[in-house]
Amino acid sequence: MISHLSPDTRAALERAAMPDFARWQRMVYATGGCAQPVRLHGERLTFNGATGEILDIYRTADEPTGFLLTACGNRRASRCPACSAVYKDDTYHLIISGLRGGKGVPEDVGGHPRVFATFTAPSFGAVHAHRTGRDGKTLPCRPRRDSPVCQHGRYEGCGRRHERDDPQVGQPLCVSCYDYQGAVLWNAHAGELWRRFTQALPSTLARLLGVRRAVLRETLRLSYAKVAEYQARGLVHFHAVIRLDGPDGPTSPPPDWATVPLLDEAIRQAAAQIVIPTSEKSPDGPPVVLLRWGDQIDVRPVYVSADLDGVSDQRVASYVAKYATKGAESAGTVDRRIHDVGDVTRLDVTEHARRMIFTCFALNRLPQYQGLPLRQWAHMLGYRGHFSTKSRHYSTTLGDLRQARADHRAEQARLILGLPERDDRETITVQDWRYAGSGHRHGEAFWADDARQRIATARKIAREREVNGTAAEECPPLRTGQAVMVEKPRDCEEESV
Ligand SMILES: [Zn+2]
Ligand SMILES: [Zn+2]
Ligand SMILES: [Zn+2]
């Protein structure tokens, strides 16, 4: 009968029949159903430092599996749905606590002026677009009555109505007219454009108010959290929550004159003044490309609940959290490095992405772009910045959120093992772990995904109960036993403003 099953199902059943399956499945639950977990060999010894009494010995050699599983911790949904879901949740809490308080941030922060701003790249050539009218109906892409053609004989207009998921969206009308060099160089400098913007914003505010920057610093502080997103045309753009606080950050009220319109004006002026030349100007050298933000900077106030002209804090937090788990793959490219230019022709990417990748490799050879690691970041279409960054005082940190989770798990494990309290200074733990491989083996991926889905369902039910006013129950306790999760630093960086 088993011969009628698909190879994957058969592999999953074979895995389930193995003697170590029950223990392995518990471990995979402890990783949240990670899609590419890391296997570790090693041991951990817990003893009383004063008496030398050994309280607990854990060795992977004693495990039925022979190893311990830990989660990969990858933020990208395309790489690991389980770990990225955790990252998304954490990012949501990080953003929302900076908008309405919580996680150590006072609730008064909800009254501070703040906006949700979107910074976009300029145009590098016409691309097919999904456009909608006021009634929500899809409009023609680029209607032109006179049907003009470009110098390559291609139509400059397009009368089709592209739906949002149409693969044509974001693809150039004429690949020969499209400025691939400009697009790739813009991506390569997008992180620097953002950095210079954050530097320019406080001085622009000071100028608008007619005070010196040092004076402003005594009364006002700027906080932000930003996320990078790829548009269909392969260019990154940034979404940022930008907030005005008093001198001590979210715990202190901003002065009365710090308002949303002032912040809005300062953001637009600061962004407009930034220009980055791609190389030094020299009389016989190649022409210098000047990079700047596109004109379409969108700034909207953030309200606690949805408002006519603004956006709601929950929507902003969900939006940022969603994009924090995406990479360049949403622009039709691949989510890992390309080592050889010869591989580019074989990649399963859109033609537009392929041309951007080739342009990265081509520009990388030119002396004026030697300082840019375009080759290493070709799969990112030139962008090499962080996907999410925040200023130090925005709210809590992902590190603190992870630590709280790790502490909770350690406490559960301690109770299961009957070990002394963690703050007992006499208790000393020594551990030694070695890498023993990663990813799932024969028949395991099925069960890992099953675990991930069960955990996601349990979380969803718990969240719905919370919303409905019933006390949220803890997820069914997973007997994690002695499993530990190694949390790694991910793609979020702290910046100081
Ligand atoms: Zn993972
Ligand atoms: Zn079109
Ligand atoms: Zn053309």
Side-chain angles (χ1 to χ4, degrees):
M1 191 176 118
I2 249 179
S3 59
H4 300 296
L5 300 170
S6 75
D8 287 350
T9 313
R10 205 181 311 152
L13 290 177
E14 280 165 12
R15 182 67 185 94
M18 287 164 81
D20 67 335
F21 180 73
R23 175 64 185 138
W24 174 85
Q25 198 181 26
R26 280 205 301 276
M27 284 187 186
V28 109
Y29 262 96
T31 68
C34 176
Q36 45 182 8
V38 176
R39 291 188 291 279
L40 296 175
H41 285 162
E43 53 250 325
R44 183 185 56 209
L45 188 67
T46 310
F47 60 97
N48 184 314
T51 64
E53 182 200 355
I54 293 177
L55 301 168
D56 179 55
I57 302 175
Y58 170 76
R59 289 193 196 96
T60 52
D62 302 333
E63 287 280 8
T65 54
F67 56 78
L68 182 64
L69 276 187
T70 70
C72 74
N74 201 300
R75 84 175 165 83
R76 289 194 185 180
S78 62
R79 290 279 193 93
C80 181
C83 294
S84 76
V86 174
Y87 188 86
K88 188 173 169 182
D89 253 28
D90 282 357
T91 305
Y92 178 86
H93 288 295
L94 187 148
I95 298 295
I96 200 86
S97 61
L99 292 170
R100 54 164 64 168
K103 309 276 173 204
V105 181
E107 278 177 23
D108 290 348
V109 81
H112 295 197
R114 67 273 176 88
V115 296
F116 185 55
T118 302
F119 302 78
T120 314
S123 170
F124 294 98
V127 295
H128 293 282
H130 162 71
R131 297 198 308 127
T132 50
R134 278 171 188 269
D135 55 359
K137 281 196 185 142
T138 306
L139 298 175
C141 171
R142 301 177 77 87
R144 294 287 293 264
R145 284 228 178 97
D146 46 348
S147 336
V149 288
C150 72
Q151 54 173 315
H152 310 100
R154 296 188 179 106
Y155 283 113
E156 287 180 340
C158 170
R160 276 174 288 160
R161 294 165 200 265
H162 305 291
E163 294 307 326
R164 196 180 290 277
D165 56 355
D166 185 336
Q168 275 290 308
V169 170
Q171 306 288 305
L173 272 77
C174 174
V175 289
S176 311
C177 283
Y178 197 82
D179 177 10
Y180 280 96
Q181 189 168 328
V184 160
L185 287 172
W186 195 90
N187 271 351
H189 289 84
E192 181 61 12
L193 279 165
W194 172 260
R195 197 183 66 84
R196 294 205 193 176
F197 165 76
T198 59
Q199 285 175 342
L201 189 53
S203 33
T204 309
L205 268 173
R207 184 163 47 73
L208 287 172
L209 291 162
V211 296
R212 279 185 297 123
R213 171 103 197 254
V215 175
L216 190 77
R217 212 174 286 141
E218 286 162 19
T219 49
L220 194 73
R221 186 185 277 279
L222 272 157
S223 284
Y224 68 84
K226 82 133 206 293
V227 67
E229 179 198 352
Y230 277 84
Q231 293 178 287
R233 59 179 174 146
L235 288 153
V236 279
H237 68 176
F238 295 127
H239 302 287
V241 175
I242 305 176
R243 191 184 68 211
L244 295 176
D245 297 328
D248 301 323
T251 52
S252 55
D256 292 341
W257 44 259
T259 60
V260 166
L262 173 78
L263 179 58
D264 182 318
E265 185 57 29
I267 288 169
R268 289 174 199 280
Q269 289 198 17
Q273 74 189 50
I274 295 158
V275 183
I276 302 179
T278 53
S279 54
E280 296 290 317
K281 197 174 178 176
S282 75
D284 40 68
V288 176
V289 183
L290 296 176
L291 300 168
R292 56 186 90 226
W293 295 108
D295 312 327
Q296 289 175 352
I297 289 181
D298 185 52
V299 185
R300 288 191 239 177
V302 183
Y303 297 111
V304 171
S305 57
D307 199 274
L308 286 177
D309 300 320
V311 277
S312 83
D313 55 357
Q314 274 179 323
R315 230 183 114 202
V316 165
S318 307
Y319 199 82
V320 172
K322 179 177 160 200
Y323 284 103
T325 63
K326 289 185 192 279
E329 67 279 1
S330 49
T333 174
V334 285
D335 66 356
R336 50 200 77 211
R337 276 193 188 180
I338 305 157
H339 297 286
D340 196 298
V341 68
D343 296 336
V344 180
T345 44
R346 290 191 295 272
L347 292 174
D348 182 21
V349 297
T350 64
E351 278 319 297
H352 182 53
R354 197 184 315 281
R355 280 171 189 263
M356 287 187 84
I357 294 167
F358 267 130
T359 308
C360 287
F361 277 94
L363 292 182
N364 187 65
R365 294 201 195 99
L366 301 179
Q368 67 267 38
Y369 304 127
Q370 286 300 303
L372 298 173
L374 284 166
R375 198 188 148 92
Q376 289 95 301
W377 301 101
H379 66 297
M380 305 282 273
L381 313 179
Y383 179 62
R384 64 198 150 113
H386 285 272
F387 268 81
S388 51
T389 57
K390 63 180 211 58
S391 61
R392 204 181 308 144
H393 295 274
Y394 176 75
S395 66
T396 179
T397 66
L398 289 177
D400 283 350
L401 292 173
R402 280 177 209 137
Q403 190 58 52
R405 213 171 30 242
D407 288 349
H408 176 70
R409 272 200 307 264
E411 181 62 11
Q412 279 184 321
R414 186 189 70 77
L415 292 173
I416 290 169
L417 297 171
L419 292 177
E421 299 229 4
R422 265 166 61 82
D423 56 2
D424 184 346
R425 289 196 189 151
E426 315 261 271
T427 307
I428 297 173
T429 301
V430 185
Q431 39 194 347
D432 174 34
W433 305 107
R434 293 172 303 279
Y435 175 81
S438 67
H440 287 300
R441 299 164 312 166
H442 188 68
E444 290 180 346
F446 171 87
W447 297 111
D449 201 53
D450 177 65
R452 178 184 67 79
Q453 289 183 31
R454 282 169 193 266
I455 293 166
T457 309
R459 267 203 208 124
K460 197 166 162 237
I461 293 168
R463 221 176 279 146
E464 274 161 15
R465 284 211 184 115
E466 214 169 344
V467 170
N468 295 335
T470 342
E473 276 173 42
E474 280 280 298
C475 292
L478 295 165
R479 279 192 53 89
T480 53
Q482 293 159 316
V484 290
M485 267 170 109
V486 179
E487 300 250 18
K488 296 180 208 67
R490 295 178 249 194
D491 294 2
C492 186
E493 196 194 53
E494 294 252 323
E495 289 175 353
S496 52
V497 173

